[in-house]
Amino acid sequence: MEAQKWRGISIKWSRPATPDFVVSLTLGYLLYQQPSVPDWVTVCAMITALRCIHVTRTV
């Protein structure tokens, strides 16, 4: 077997657009209204909905 090269991970931050903020805040509000959803899940979902953190594998 051949040894595999390790490919690094690149993380980039971009500025979220206005529609991303609207979607993130709406999702956060709806999740916050559900008593069975923990607060940390709401925060993680809001950050993910912003679509400002891009994780890619470098070649």
Side-chain angles (χ1 to χ4, degrees):
M1 297 182 116
E2 289 185 36
Q4 297 290 324
K5 287 185 179 178
W6 184 77
R7 291 192 278 173
I9 295 175
S10 173
I11 299 174
K12 290 196 301 186
W13 170 269
S14 64
R15 186 174 175 186
T18 304
D20 295 331
F21 279 116
V22 172
V23 168
S24 178
L25 291 173
T26 303
L27 177 65
Y29 175 75
L30 292 174
L31 286 174
Y32 181 74
Q33 295 300 318
Q34 301 297 320
S36 61
V37 178
D39 290 338
W40 65 271
V41 172
T42 302
V43 171
C44 290
M46 288 177 67
I47 291 171
T48 304
L50 280 177
R51 300 183 316 161
C52 56
I53 300 172
H54 304 282
V55 179
T56 57
R57 290 181 67 182
T58 58
V59 178

